[in-house]
Amino acid sequence: MTIELTPDDAALAQKLIDSGEFESVEDLLHSALLILHREAIHSHIEEGIA
């Protein structure tokens, strides 16, 4: 999978890495993908309940 960052996204990623929240861009992206996956699962469950 290829993920491209806009210059603004890259600057934000670097700011988060510099602040110590994430160790690398890969770490940041991994966390973001886990959040998106979790949100997709919750959405699917809510649709099933409705």
mmCIF file of all heavy atoms in Angstrom:
data_model
loop_
_atom_site.group_PDB
_atom_site.id
_atom_site.type_symbol
_atom_site.label_atom_id
_atom_site.label_comp_id
_atom_site.label_asym_id
_atom_site.label_seq_id
_atom_site.Cartn_x
_atom_site.Cartn_y
_atom_site.Cartn_z
ATOM 1 N N MET A 1 0.843 -1.162 0.000
ATOM 2 C CA MET A 1 0.000 0.000 0.000
ATOM 3 C C MET A 1 0.896 1.236 0.000
ATOM 4 O O MET A 1 1.878 1.303 0.723
ATOM 5 C CB MET A 1 -0.893 0.006 1.245
ATOM 6 C CG MET A 1 -1.692 1.273 1.362
ATOM 7 S SD MET A 1 -2.533 1.529 2.952
ATOM 8 C CE MET A 1 -3.640 0.150 3.030
ATOM 9 N N THR A 2 0.525 2.205 -0.809
ATOM 10 C CA THR A 2 1.251 3.459 -0.859
ATOM 11 C C THR A 2 0.369 4.557 -0.280
ATOM 12 O O THR A 2 -0.788 4.687 -0.661
ATOM 13 C CB THR A 2 1.619 3.827 -2.303
ATOM 14 O OG1 THR A 2 2.427 2.787 -2.844
ATOM 15 C CG2 THR A 2 2.361 5.141 -2.364
ATOM 16 N N ILE A 3 0.924 5.308 0.641
ATOM 17 C CA ILE A 3 0.210 6.423 1.235
ATOM 18 C C ILE A 3 1.021 7.674 0.959
ATOM 19 O O ILE A 3 2.213 7.731 1.271
ATOM 20 C CB ILE A 3 0.024 6.228 2.756
ATOM 21 C CG1 ILE A 3 -0.821 4.992 3.021
ATOM 22 C CG2 ILE A 3 -0.604 7.469 3.381
ATOM 23 C CD1 ILE A 3 -0.944 4.630 4.483
ATOM 24 N N GLU A 4 0.379 8.657 0.353
ATOM 25 C CA GLU A 4 1.058 9.913 0.060
ATOM 26 C C GLU A 4 0.527 10.985 0.996
ATOM 27 O O GLU A 4 -0.674 11.084 1.225
ATOM 28 C CB GLU A 4 0.818 10.317 -1.389
ATOM 29 C CG GLU A 4 1.466 9.373 -2.386
ATOM 30 C CD GLU A 4 1.301 9.827 -3.818
ATOM 31 O OE1 GLU A 4 1.193 11.045 -4.055
ATOM 32 O OE2 GLU A 4 1.270 8.966 -4.699
ATOM 33 N N LEU A 5 1.438 11.774 1.537
ATOM 34 C CA LEU A 5 1.067 12.863 2.424
ATOM 35 C C LEU A 5 1.201 14.195 1.695
ATOM 36 O O LEU A 5 2.148 14.398 0.946
ATOM 37 C CB LEU A 5 1.970 12.884 3.655
ATOM 38 C CG LEU A 5 1.954 11.654 4.553
ATOM 39 C CD1 LEU A 5 2.998 11.817 5.653
ATOM 40 C CD2 LEU A 5 0.587 11.438 5.150
ATOM 41 N N THR A 6 0.251 15.084 1.940
ATOM 42 C CA THR A 6 0.393 16.443 1.424
ATOM 43 C C THR A 6 1.494 17.122 2.226
ATOM 44 O O THR A 6 1.858 16.660 3.315
ATOM 45 C CB THR A 6 -0.915 17.234 1.591
ATOM 46 O OG1 THR A 6 -1.161 17.414 2.998
ATOM 47 C CG2 THR A 6 -2.090 16.536 0.926
ATOM 48 N N PRO A 7 2.031 18.213 1.723
ATOM 49 C CA PRO A 7 3.046 18.932 2.502
ATOM 50 C C PRO A 7 2.540 19.335 3.896
ATOM 51 O O PRO A 7 3.284 19.269 4.876
ATOM 52 C CB PRO A 7 3.361 20.155 1.643
ATOM 53 C CG PRO A 7 3.092 19.689 0.242
ATOM 54 C CD PRO A 7 1.886 18.784 0.380
ATOM 55 N N ASP A 8 1.264 19.736 3.991
ATOM 56 C CA ASP A 8 0.698 20.090 5.296
ATOM 57 C C ASP A 8 0.625 18.883 6.218
ATOM 58 O O ASP A 8 0.919 18.980 7.407
ATOM 59 C CB ASP A 8 -0.699 20.697 5.140
ATOM 60 C CG ASP A 8 -0.676 22.090 4.524
ATOM 61 O OD1 ASP A 8 0.392 22.747 4.549
ATOM 62 O OD2 ASP A 8 -1.729 22.527 4.025
ATOM 63 N N ASP A 9 0.216 17.730 5.669
ATOM 64 C CA ASP A 9 0.160 16.500 6.468
ATOM 65 C C ASP A 9 1.555 16.084 6.923
ATOM 66 O O ASP A 9 1.739 15.645 8.056
ATOM 67 C CB ASP A 9 -0.476 15.358 5.678
ATOM 68 C CG ASP A 9 -1.957 15.573 5.421
ATOM 69 O OD1 ASP A 9 -2.592 16.343 6.170
ATOM 70 O OD2 ASP A 9 -2.475 14.954 4.467
ATOM 71 N N ALA A 10 2.526 16.214 6.027
ATOM 72 C CA ALA A 10 3.903 15.848 6.373
ATOM 73 C C ALA A 10 4.436 16.756 7.484
ATOM 74 O O ALA A 10 5.116 16.290 8.400
ATOM 75 C CB ALA A 10 4.798 15.929 5.135
ATOM 76 N N ALA A 11 4.098 18.051 7.416
ATOM 77 C CA ALA A 11 4.540 18.984 8.454
ATOM 78 C C ALA A 11 3.897 18.637 9.801
ATOM 79 O O ALA A 11 4.561 18.665 10.841
ATOM 80 C CB ALA A 11 4.202 20.421 8.057
ATOM 81 N N LEU A 12 2.605 18.292 9.777
ATOM 82 C CA LEU A 12 1.920 17.897 11.004
ATOM 83 C C LEU A 12 2.518 16.607 11.553
ATOM 84 O O LEU A 12 2.754 16.483 12.759
ATOM 85 C CB LEU A 12 0.422 17.720 10.761
ATOM 86 C CG LEU A 12 -0.392 17.224 11.952
ATOM 87 C CD1 LEU A 12 -0.256 18.162 13.149
ATOM 88 C CD2 LEU A 12 -1.856 17.053 11.553
ATOM 89 N N ALA A 13 2.783 15.653 10.681
ATOM 90 C CA ALA A 13 3.390 14.394 11.109
ATOM 91 C C ALA A 13 4.741 14.659 11.766
ATOM 92 O O ALA A 13 5.036 14.113 12.830
ATOM 93 C CB ALA A 13 3.550 13.445 9.922
ATOM 94 N N GLN A 14 5.536 15.520 11.165
ATOM 95 C CA GLN A 14 6.853 15.827 11.732
ATOM 96 C C GLN A 14 6.706 16.522 13.088
ATOM 97 O O GLN A 14 7.453 16.233 14.019
ATOM 98 C CB GLN A 14 7.665 16.706 10.777
ATOM 99 C CG GLN A 14 9.101 16.855 11.216
ATOM 100 C CD GLN A 14 9.823 15.518 11.270
ATOM 101 O OE1 GLN A 14 9.844 14.769 10.301
ATOM 102 N NE2 GLN A 14 10.418 15.205 12.423
ATOM 103 N N LYS A 15 5.713 17.393 13.206
ATOM 104 C CA LYS A 15 5.474 18.075 14.477
ATOM 105 C C LYS A 15 5.103 17.063 15.566
ATOM 106 O O LYS A 15 5.593 17.149 16.699
ATOM 107 C CB LYS A 15 4.347 19.102 14.303
ATOM 108 C CG LYS A 15 4.046 19.911 15.525
ATOM 109 C CD LYS A 15 2.949 20.929 15.239
ATOM 110 C CE LYS A 15 2.583 21.704 16.491
ATOM 111 N NZ LYS A 15 1.505 22.666 16.239
ATOM 112 N N LEU A 16 4.259 16.092 15.231
ATOM 113 C CA LEU A 16 3.860 15.061 16.191
ATOM 114 C C LEU A 16 5.032 14.170 16.572
ATOM 115 O O LEU A 16 5.167 13.753 17.726
ATOM 116 C CB LEU A 16 2.703 14.229 15.630
ATOM 117 C CG LEU A 16 1.376 14.972 15.470
ATOM 118 C CD1 LEU A 16 0.386 14.124 14.668
ATOM 119 C CD2 LEU A 16 0.797 15.352 16.818
ATOM 120 N N ILE A 17 5.888 13.886 15.613
ATOM 121 C CA ILE A 17 7.076 13.072 15.890
ATOM 122 C C ILE A 17 8.048 13.857 16.775
ATOM 123 O O ILE A 17 8.562 13.339 17.762
ATOM 124 C CB ILE A 17 7.746 12.623 14.575
ATOM 125 C CG1 ILE A 17 6.838 11.619 13.856
ATOM 126 C CG2 ILE A 17 9.116 12.009 14.834
ATOM 127 C CD1 ILE A 17 7.217 11.368 12.414
ATOM 128 N N ASP A 18 8.253 15.127 16.427
ATOM 129 C CA ASP A 18 9.167 15.964 17.213
ATOM 130 C C ASP A 18 8.680 16.146 18.651
ATOM 131 O O ASP A 18 9.492 16.275 19.569
ATOM 132 C CB ASP A 18 9.347 17.336 16.551
ATOM 133 C CG ASP A 18 10.120 17.261 15.242
ATOM 134 O OD1 ASP A 18 10.756 16.218 14.963
ATOM 135 O OD2 ASP A 18 10.057 18.242 14.474
ATOM 136 N N SER A 19 7.350 16.148 18.840
ATOM 137 C CA SER A 19 6.802 16.331 20.192
ATOM 138 C C SER A 19 6.911 15.061 21.028
ATOM 139 O O SER A 19 6.680 15.091 22.229
ATOM 140 C CB SER A 19 5.334 16.762 20.113
ATOM 141 O OG SER A 19 4.503 15.665 19.731
ATOM 142 N N GLY A 20 7.225 13.939 20.369
ATOM 143 C CA GLY A 20 7.377 12.677 21.086
ATOM 144 C C GLY A 20 6.122 11.825 21.120
ATOM 145 O O GLY A 20 6.119 10.750 21.711
ATOM 146 N N GLU A 21 5.035 12.303 20.478
ATOM 147 C CA GLU A 21 3.795 11.511 20.460
ATOM 148 C C GLU A 21 3.965 10.224 19.666
ATOM 149 O O GLU A 21 3.345 9.213 19.989
ATOM 150 C CB GLU A 21 2.642 12.327 19.872
ATOM 151 C CG GLU A 21 2.019 13.290 20.840
ATOM 152 C CD GLU A 21 0.727 13.867 20.318
ATOM 153 O OE1 GLU A 21 -0.242 13.096 20.112
ATOM 154 O OE2 GLU A 21 0.692 15.084 20.104
ATOM 155 N N PHE A 22 4.774 10.284 18.619
ATOM 156 C CA PHE A 22 5.016 9.124 17.765
ATOM 157 C C PHE A 22 6.516 9.021 17.516
ATOM 158 O O PHE A 22 7.226 10.023 17.512
ATOM 159 C CB PHE A 22 4.263 9.252 16.436
ATOM 160 C CG PHE A 22 2.774 9.318 16.608
ATOM 161 C CD1 PHE A 22 2.114 10.531 16.678
ATOM 162 C CD2 PHE A 22 2.027 8.160 16.720
ATOM 163 C CE1 PHE A 22 0.740 10.592 16.853
ATOM 164 C CE2 PHE A 22 0.657 8.209 16.892
ATOM 165 C CZ PHE A 22 0.008 9.424 16.961
ATOM 166 N N GLU A 23 6.988 7.802 17.291
ATOM 167 C CA GLU A 23 8.412 7.587 17.059
ATOM 168 C C GLU A 23 8.808 7.778 15.603
ATOM 169 O O GLU A 23 9.959 8.073 15.306
ATOM 170 C CB GLU A 23 8.802 6.185 17.526
ATOM 171 C CG GLU A 23 8.671 6.006 19.021
ATOM 172 C CD GLU A 23 9.112 4.632 19.480
ATOM 173 O OE1 GLU A 23 9.787 3.933 18.712
ATOM 174 O OE2 GLU A 23 8.776 4.278 20.612
ATOM 175 N N SER A 24 7.843 7.587 14.694
ATOM 176 C CA SER A 24 8.141 7.695 13.266
ATOM 177 C C SER A 24 6.854 7.941 12.499
ATOM 178 O O SER A 24 5.753 7.806 13.043
ATOM 179 C CB SER A 24 8.776 6.397 12.759
ATOM 180 O OG SER A 24 7.833 5.333 12.857
ATOM 181 N N VAL A 25 6.999 8.279 11.224
ATOM 182 C CA VAL A 25 5.818 8.451 10.371
ATOM 183 C C VAL A 25 5.053 7.131 10.287
ATOM 184 O O VAL A 25 3.830 7.096 10.327
ATOM 185 C CB VAL A 25 6.221 8.947 8.962
ATOM 186 C CG1 VAL A 25 5.033 8.933 8.021
ATOM 187 C CG2 VAL A 25 6.818 10.340 9.041
ATOM 188 N N GLU A 26 5.793 6.030 10.213
ATOM 189 C CA GLU A 26 5.151 4.722 10.138
ATOM 190 C C GLU A 26 4.321 4.450 11.387
ATOM 191 O O GLU A 26 3.208 3.919 11.306
ATOM 192 C CB GLU A 26 6.194 3.616 9.949
ATOM 193 C CG GLU A 26 6.870 3.630 8.605
ATOM 194 C CD GLU A 26 8.037 4.619 8.520
ATOM 195 O OE1 GLU A 26 8.386 5.243 9.545
ATOM 196 O OE2 GLU A 26 8.572 4.791 7.410
ATOM 197 N N ASP A 27 4.835 4.816 12.547
ATOM 198 C CA ASP A 27 4.114 4.651 13.809
ATOM 199 C C ASP A 27 2.834 5.482 13.800
ATOM 200 O O ASP A 27 1.768 5.018 14.202
ATOM 201 C CB ASP A 27 5.028 5.057 14.973
ATOM 202 C CG ASP A 27 4.410 4.827 16.333
ATOM 203 O OD1 ASP A 27 3.673 3.839 16.502
ATOM 204 O OD2 ASP A 27 4.678 5.639 17.247
ATOM 205 N N LEU A 28 2.933 6.729 13.326
ATOM 206 C CA LEU A 28 1.771 7.607 13.234
ATOM 207 C C LEU A 28 0.720 7.013 12.304
ATOM 208 O O LEU A 28 -0.469 6.953 12.642
ATOM 209 C CB LEU A 28 2.213 8.985 12.746
ATOM 210 C CG LEU A 28 1.180 10.080 12.740
ATOM 211 C CD1 LEU A 28 1.858 11.425 12.925
ATOM 212 C CD2 LEU A 28 0.367 10.086 11.488
ATOM 213 N N LEU A 29 1.140 6.568 11.124
ATOM 214 C CA LEU A 29 0.201 5.997 10.156
ATOM 215 C C LEU A 29 -0.436 4.713 10.684
ATOM 216 O O LEU A 29 -1.626 4.476 10.489
ATOM 217 C CB LEU A 29 0.893 5.743 8.818
ATOM 218 C CG LEU A 29 1.312 6.995 8.055
ATOM 219 C CD1 LEU A 29 2.120 6.613 6.824
ATOM 220 C CD2 LEU A 29 0.118 7.841 7.691
ATOM 221 N N HIS A 30 0.343 3.900 11.359
ATOM 222 C CA HIS A 30 -0.183 2.662 11.942
ATOM 223 C C HIS A 30 -1.279 2.993 12.947
ATOM 224 O O HIS A 30 -2.353 2.378 12.938
ATOM 225 C CB HIS A 30 0.948 1.881 12.607
ATOM 226 C CG HIS A 30 0.520 0.567 13.148
ATOM 227 N ND1 HIS A 30 0.239 0.371 14.469
ATOM 228 C CD2 HIS A 30 0.297 -0.619 12.532
ATOM 229 C CE1 HIS A 30 -0.145 -0.875 14.660
ATOM 230 N NE2 HIS A 30 -0.105 -1.498 13.495
ATOM 231 N N SER A 31 -1.048 3.980 13.789
ATOM 232 C CA SER A 31 -2.057 4.379 14.770
ATOM 233 C C SER A 31 -3.307 4.906 14.079
ATOM 234 O O SER A 31 -4.432 4.589 14.481
ATOM 235 C CB SER A 31 -1.493 5.455 15.706
ATOM 236 O OG SER A 31 -0.472 4.924 16.499
ATOM 237 N N ALA A 32 -3.112 5.711 13.037
ATOM 238 C CA ALA A 32 -4.260 6.255 12.303
ATOM 239 C C ALA A 32 -5.075 5.141 11.647
ATOM 240 O O ALA A 32 -6.306 5.161 11.685
ATOM 241 C CB ALA A 32 -3.775 7.252 11.250
ATOM 242 N N LEU A 33 -4.406 4.160 11.062
ATOM 243 C CA LEU A 33 -5.113 3.056 10.421
ATOM 244 C C LEU A 33 -5.871 2.213 11.443
ATOM 245 O O LEU A 33 -6.983 1.750 11.169
ATOM 246 C CB LEU A 33 -4.138 2.188 9.622
ATOM 247 C CG LEU A 33 -3.599 2.836 8.352
ATOM 248 C CD1 LEU A 33 -2.498 1.971 7.746
ATOM 249 C CD2 LEU A 33 -4.700 3.097 7.343
ATOM 250 N N LEU A 34 -5.303 2.022 12.615
ATOM 251 C CA LEU A 34 -6.012 1.284 13.666
ATOM 252 C C LEU A 34 -7.278 2.021 14.085
ATOM 253 O O LEU A 34 -8.334 1.404 14.284
ATOM 254 C CB LEU A 34 -5.109 1.069 14.880
ATOM 255 C CG LEU A 34 -4.029 0.019 14.730
ATOM 256 C CD1 LEU A 34 -3.110 0.029 15.961
ATOM 257 C CD2 LEU A 34 -4.620 -1.357 14.533
ATOM 258 N N ILE A 35 -7.200 3.339 14.200
ATOM 259 C CA ILE A 35 -8.371 4.140 14.560
ATOM 260 C C ILE A 35 -9.433 4.023 13.475
ATOM 261 O O ILE A 35 -10.616 3.820 13.767
ATOM 262 C CB ILE A 35 -7.971 5.604 14.793
ATOM 263 C CG1 ILE A 35 -7.144 5.719 16.074
ATOM 264 C CG2 ILE A 35 -9.208 6.504 14.873
ATOM 265 C CD1 ILE A 35 -6.457 7.056 16.252
ATOM 266 N N LEU A 36 -9.037 4.151 12.215
ATOM 267 C CA LEU A 36 -10.001 4.039 11.109
ATOM 268 C C LEU A 36 -10.650 2.662 11.082
ATOM 269 O O LEU A 36 -11.852 2.535 10.851
ATOM 270 C CB LEU A 36 -9.322 4.324 9.768
ATOM 271 C CG LEU A 36 -8.902 5.762 9.532
ATOM 272 C CD1 LEU A 36 -8.097 5.862 8.241
ATOM 273 C CD2 LEU A 36 -10.114 6.673 9.481
ATOM 274 N N HIS A 37 -9.866 1.621 11.324
ATOM 275 C CA HIS A 37 -10.390 0.260 11.338
ATOM 276 C C HIS A 37 -11.394 0.101 12.477
ATOM 277 O O HIS A 37 -12.481 -0.455 12.296
ATOM 278 C CB HIS A 37 -9.239 -0.735 11.483
ATOM 279 C CG HIS A 37 -9.665 -2.163 11.448
ATOM 280 N ND1 HIS A 37 -10.127 -2.770 10.310
ATOM 281 C CD2 HIS A 37 -9.717 -3.098 12.430
ATOM 282 C CE1 HIS A 37 -10.445 -4.013 10.590
ATOM 283 N NE2 HIS A 37 -10.207 -4.247 11.867
ATOM 284 N N ARG A 38 -11.047 0.609 13.643
ATOM 285 C CA ARG A 38 -11.928 0.531 14.804
ATOM 286 C C ARG A 38 -13.238 1.267 14.529
ATOM 287 O O ARG A 38 -14.324 0.779 14.840
ATOM 288 C CB ARG A 38 -11.237 1.130 16.031
ATOM 289 C CG ARG A 38 -11.982 0.927 17.318
ATOM 290 C CD ARG A 38 -11.233 1.465 18.528
ATOM 291 N NE ARG A 38 -9.849 1.010 18.586
ATOM 292 C CZ ARG A 38 -8.802 1.818 18.733
ATOM 293 N NH1 ARG A 38 -8.958 3.103 18.849
ATOM 294 N NH2 ARG A 38 -7.588 1.312 18.777
ATOM 295 N N GLU A 39 -13.160 2.452 13.911
ATOM 296 C CA GLU A 39 -14.356 3.221 13.585
ATOM 297 C C GLU A 39 -15.227 2.480 12.576
ATOM 298 O O GLU A 39 -16.450 2.485 12.684
ATOM 299 C CB GLU A 39 -13.975 4.599 13.060
ATOM 300 C CG GLU A 39 -13.440 5.525 14.132
ATOM 301 C CD GLU A 39 -12.968 6.857 13.592
ATOM 302 O OE1 GLU A 39 -12.998 7.084 12.366
ATOM 303 O OE2 GLU A 39 -12.556 7.689 14.415
ATOM 304 N N ALA A 40 -14.611 1.819 11.615
ATOM 305 C CA ALA A 40 -15.363 1.058 10.616
ATOM 306 C C ALA A 40 -16.099 -0.103 11.277
ATOM 307 O O ALA A 40 -17.256 -0.381 10.952
ATOM 308 C CB ALA A 40 -14.438 0.547 9.518
ATOM 309 N N ILE A 41 -15.457 -0.769 12.209
ATOM 310 C CA ILE A 41 -16.087 -1.884 12.918
ATOM 311 C C ILE A 41 -17.278 -1.379 13.730
ATOM 312 O O ILE A 41 -18.358 -1.956 13.684
ATOM 313 C CB ILE A 41 -15.074 -2.613 13.822
ATOM 314 C CG1 ILE A 41 -14.076 -3.386 12.963
ATOM 315 C CG2 ILE A 41 -15.780 -3.541 14.807
ATOM 316 C CD1 ILE A 41 -12.908 -3.964 13.743
ATOM 317 N N HIS A 42 -17.084 -0.280 14.466
ATOM 318 C CA HIS A 42 -18.174 0.267 15.280
ATOM 319 C C HIS A 42 -19.340 0.703 14.398
ATOM 320 O O HIS A 42 -20.502 0.481 14.747
ATOM 321 C CB HIS A 42 -17.679 1.436 16.128
ATOM 322 C CG HIS A 42 -16.837 1.018 17.286
ATOM 323 N ND1 HIS A 42 -17.363 0.453 18.432
ATOM 324 C CD2 HIS A 42 -15.497 1.052 17.466
ATOM 325 C CE1 HIS A 42 -16.382 0.161 19.263
ATOM 326 N NE2 HIS A 42 -15.240 0.505 18.703
ATOM 327 N N SER A 43 -19.051 1.308 13.264
ATOM 328 C CA SER A 43 -20.095 1.730 12.338
ATOM 329 C C SER A 43 -20.876 0.540 11.833
ATOM 330 O O SER A 43 -22.108 0.558 11.761
ATOM 331 C CB SER A 43 -19.477 2.496 11.161
ATOM 332 O OG SER A 43 -20.468 2.846 10.227
ATOM 333 N N HIS A 44 -20.159 -0.538 11.497
ATOM 334 C CA HIS A 44 -20.804 -1.755 10.998
ATOM 335 C C HIS A 44 -21.704 -2.360 12.080
ATOM 336 O O HIS A 44 -22.829 -2.793 11.806
ATOM 337 C CB HIS A 44 -19.738 -2.764 10.562
ATOM 338 C CG HIS A 44 -20.288 -3.993 9.959
ATOM 339 N ND1 HIS A 44 -20.888 -4.034 8.719
ATOM 340 C CD2 HIS A 44 -20.353 -5.271 10.437
ATOM 341 C CE1 HIS A 44 -21.285 -5.263 8.465
ATOM 342 N NE2 HIS A 44 -20.969 -6.032 9.482
ATOM 343 N N ILE A 45 -21.246 -2.363 13.320
ATOM 344 C CA ILE A 45 -22.038 -2.901 14.427
ATOM 345 C C ILE A 45 -23.279 -2.043 14.638
ATOM 346 O O ILE A 45 -24.398 -2.583 14.799
ATOM 347 C CB ILE A 45 -21.192 -2.983 15.723
ATOM 348 C CG1 ILE A 45 -20.132 -4.069 15.575
ATOM 349 C CG2 ILE A 45 -22.067 -3.227 16.951
ATOM 350 C CD1 ILE A 45 -19.085 -4.070 16.685
ATOM 351 N N GLU A 46 -23.124 -0.718 14.613
ATOM 352 C CA GLU A 46 -24.267 0.160 14.808
ATOM 353 C C GLU A 46 -25.301 -0.021 13.706
ATOM 354 O O GLU A 46 -26.497 0.004 13.965
ATOM 355 C CB GLU A 46 -23.794 1.614 14.877
ATOM 356 C CG GLU A 46 -23.069 1.924 16.169
ATOM 357 C CD GLU A 46 -22.480 3.326 16.183
ATOM 358 O OE1 GLU A 46 -22.710 4.093 15.234
ATOM 359 O OE2 GLU A 46 -21.768 3.629 17.158
ATOM 360 N N GLU A 47 -24.854 -0.201 12.473
ATOM 361 C CA GLU A 47 -25.776 -0.445 11.362
ATOM 362 C C GLU A 47 -26.529 -1.747 11.570
ATOM 363 O O GLU A 47 -27.722 -1.850 11.281
ATOM 364 C CB GLU A 47 -25.025 -0.484 10.037
ATOM 365 C CG GLU A 47 -24.532 0.851 9.569
ATOM 366 C CD GLU A 47 -23.692 0.764 8.309
ATOM 367 O OE1 GLU A 47 -23.622 -0.330 7.678
ATOM 368 O OE2 GLU A 47 -23.083 1.800 7.949
ATOM 369 N N GLY A 48 -25.832 -2.762 12.068
ATOM 370 C CA GLY A 48 -26.483 -4.053 12.325
ATOM 371 C C GLY A 48 -27.515 -3.962 13.418
ATOM 372 O O GLY A 48 -28.556 -4.627 13.358
ATOM 373 N N ILE A 49 -27.255 -3.157 14.427
ATOM 374 C CA ILE A 49 -28.210 -2.994 15.522
ATOM 375 C C ILE A 49 -29.452 -2.220 15.065
ATOM 376 O O ILE A 49 -30.563 -2.542 15.457
ATOM 377 C CB ILE A 49 -27.537 -2.271 16.715
ATOM 378 C CG1 ILE A 49 -26.478 -3.195 17.334
ATOM 379 C CG2 ILE A 49 -28.560 -1.857 17.775
ATOM 380 C CD1 ILE A 49 -25.623 -2.530 18.395
ATOM 381 N N ALA A 50 -29.220 -1.221 14.189
ATOM 382 C CA ALA A 50 -30.341 -0.402 13.683
ATOM 383 C C ALA A 50 -31.159 -1.248 12.761
ATOM 384 O O ALA A 50 -32.238 -1.519 12.724
ATOM 385 C CB ALA A 50 -29.825 0.804 12.935
#
